[in-house]
Amino acid sequence: MAEGRDPEPSAGIIDSQSVKGSDTVGTQSRGYDAGKKVNGRKRFIVTDTLGLLLTVMVCSAGRQDRDGAKTALLGAYLATAVRFIFADAGFAGRLVDWAQTFLRTTIEIVRKPAGQRGFVVIPRRWAVERSLAWLTAHRRLARDYERHPATSEAMIRWAAINTMTRRLARGGPATRQQRRRFTPTT
């Protein structure tokens, strides 16, 4: 609100992340993501434009982005007033029409610039990528250890609450800690 924003978000960003599953992950909720070559689970998150978590859904990594996103988008529709979603090209296709028809939600596909080589930050998508990186920084979420997907979703929410609390308590933008230099005394 300090930036003149409405406290209720009006736009969101969706993305997915495939993570390896440990031995405790059951075979019924485990799958293989051929694109990333990962055997485990896939996390779908919807964030607001600041990167704060709105909804999360965990499923088998073998699910396509267009199919797994339906549950995450339905959760965002029921829990928030967000009716405009930014997404990457993996969510293009019939999902855009489905969201418009059933959820009255507009999905805008943000594509990378033509001729782009290597990694470049894509506008409107960096906030969700940063949120996924923040989640992965929590040791328990670097790999999926949970037996049930609902427990995995709870751990993701817990990590997001931890991150949001630290950002609120800090009260300002992040600053890099200065390097300490020790000089030997003789």
Side-chain angles (χ1 to χ4, degrees):
M1 289 194 340
E3 299 172 359
R5 293 178 179 253
D6 187 358
E8 189 69 28
S10 59
I13 312 167
I14 188 169
D15 202 7
S16 67
Q17 177 187 45
S18 295
V19 291
K20 290 182 181 179
S22 72
D23 296 339
T24 58
V25 176
T27 57
Q28 67 276 9
S29 65
R30 173 190 289 263
Y32 185 72
D33 183 354
K36 303 257 173 66
K37 296 180 177 45
V38 171
N39 186 3
R41 289 189 179 144
K42 192 176 276 193
R43 303 169 179 160
F44 290 89
I45 65 168
V46 178
T47 66
D48 64 1
T49 55
L50 297 175
L52 303 176
L53 185 70
L54 297 176
T55 61
V56 62
M57 195 276 291
V58 176
C59 64
S60 166
R63 264 178 117 172
Q64 291 291 322
D65 284 351
R66 291 181 291 274
D67 299 330
K70 289 181 180 180
T71 307
L73 290 172
L74 182 61
Y77 176 79
L78 295 173
T80 67
V82 171
R83 298 297 177 262
F84 191 86
I85 303 283
F86 294 103
D88 66 4
F91 296 96
R94 285 192 259 160
L95 177 67
V96 176
D97 297 331
W98 178 87
Q100 186 64 43
T101 303
F102 293 104
L103 303 179
R104 296 184 309 269
T105 300
T106 303
I107 298 178
E108 181 178 322
I109 305 299
V110 180
R111 301 188 186 277
K112 65 181 184 178
Q116 173 189 326
R117 298 227 187 269
F119 177 76
V120 176
V121 176
I122 299 173
R124 294 289 182 195
R125 298 230 346 103
W126 63 269
V128 73
E129 299 291 347
R130 181 185 64 182
S131 297
L132 286 169
W134 284 342
L135 290 175
T136 308
H138 289 79
R139 184 171 54 101
R140 184 112 178 228
L141 296 177
R143 172 180 277 240
D144 199 342
Y145 296 101
E146 311 307 326
R147 183 169 299 280
H148 302 290
T151 308
S152 186
E153 291 173 7
M155 297 310 274
I156 292 168
R157 286 187 191 96
W158 192 9
I161 290 169
N162 183 16
T163 302
M164 287 186 252
T165 304
R166 272 191 279 120
R167 286 177 64 187
L168 286 171
R170 187 173 54 226
T175 57
R176 188 173 292 253
Q177 187 176 15
Q178 297 298 319
R179 180 172 274 176
R180 294 184 181 170
R181 299 186 186 267
F182 295 102
T183 56
T185 57
T186 53

